[in-house]
Amino acid sequence: MCNLYRMNKPIDEVGRLFRAQPQVGANFADEVYPGYPGLVVANGQVGTMTWGFPLVLKSKKTGAPLKPKPVNNAREDKLNTPFWRDSFARRRCLIPVTAWAEAEGIKGSMTRTWHALEGHELFAVAGVWRRTDEWGAAYSMVMVDGCEQMADVHDRMPTILRHEDWAQWTDGTPDEAIQLCQVCPDPLTIERTAEPWFKARAQ
């Protein structure tokens, strides 16, 4: 599953590519983690939302609510379950991405392996969003089975949408949208690095 991705293009460039109005004063980092702001294209605008739907759990000891946990990935085969159903039916979005990372290596010393769509500096991942009491507007990535190039890293990956399919994802019926949740047929670029997986989180 994706728990880290890059989006290092200026918001104005994203707006031009997605034909969306940039949000004034949008604040986001080049690397996006669950629970932090990322850029999202929805309703003709590109702006920031929190990555992950809040899931409130209760303490096993006291029964008191714990700090919400961001659920940042939505499996395509779970989109019609209660947690996701309304957002999938009514609030689908596009997530601009330049690359996403998966962890590789031995537990405790894992490194980042970056994946991107070959020939594209910026591409769209399928997403859903909703408004929340905890974090305001929040979004989640839709995940599908990993392609062959992902086989030695992870069995799931983000749903990459071709440009010609963007409108079908955002504006089509749920039946039309679910048809786009397919294994990516296009080649990926893969960059294995020595970057520690937890580097940015520890700062």
Side-chain angles (χ1 to χ4, degrees):
M1 293 295 191
C2 179
N3 292 307
L4 168 64
Y5 71 93
R6 286 178 182 154
M7 212 309 294
N8 53 17
K9 299 295 182 182
I11 190 171
D12 288 345
E13 182 177 337
V14 176
R16 286 191 296 271
L17 177 62
F18 288 83
R19 297 183 179 179
Q21 180 65 37
Q23 179 187 58
V24 177
N27 187 20
F28 59 96
D30 287 352
E31 294 185 351
V32 185
Y33 290 95
Y36 288 84
L39 277 189
V40 174
V41 180
N43 299 328
Q45 296 187 329
V46 53
T48 55
M49 298 183 186
T50 299
W51 186 23
F53 284 16
L55 177 64
V56 180
L57 303 174
K58 292 185 177 181
S59 169
K60 293 181 179 179
K61 292 183 178 180
T62 66
L66 300 173
K67 182 180 178 180
K69 171 186 175 183
V71 184
N72 54 294
N73 295 315
R75 290 174 58 112
E76 94 287 354
D77 56 346
K78 303 294 185 183
L79 289 172
N80 280 316
T81 59
F83 191 78
W84 304 109
R85 185 183 297 125
D86 187 60
S87 296
F88 175 61
R90 302 172 58 190
R91 293 179 300 277
R92 297 186 295 274
C93 60
L94 302 173
I95 305 169
V97 174
T98 51
W100 78 93
E102 298 290 353
E104 280 199 282
I106 302 171
K107 187 175 181 180
S109 58
M110 289 184 167
T111 56
R112 302 175 181 186
T113 295
W114 292 95
H115 302 77
L117 187 60
E118 186 174 291
H120 296 262
E121 294 185 357
L122 182 64
F123 54 94
V125 167
V128 294
W129 73 279
R130 67 177 174 90
R131 299 201 176 276
T132 73
D133 293 335
E134 295 86 354
W135 302 328
Y139 69 100
S140 185
M141 283 186 178
V142 176
M143 310 298 285
V144 293
D145 289 338
C147 63
E148 186 175 346
Q149 284 185 273
M150 292 283 298
D152 60 343
V153 179
H154 208 291
D155 62 353
R156 306 289 289 179
M157 67 181 286
T159 303
I160 298 175
L161 298 172
R162 289 177 170 174
H163 192 291
E164 59 267 29
D165 294 328
W166 291 357
Q168 181 174 327
W169 176 257
T170 57
D171 303 328
T173 67
D175 286 343
E176 290 170 335
I178 202 68
Q179 293 174 13
L180 300 175
C181 296
Q182 303 289 336
V183 176
C184 180
D186 300 322
L188 305 177
T189 59
I190 299 176
E191 178 192 3
R192 288 182 165 85
T193 75
E195 295 177 280
W197 178 249
F198 289 103
K199 179 186 67 173
R201 293 182 179 183
Q203 293 178 348

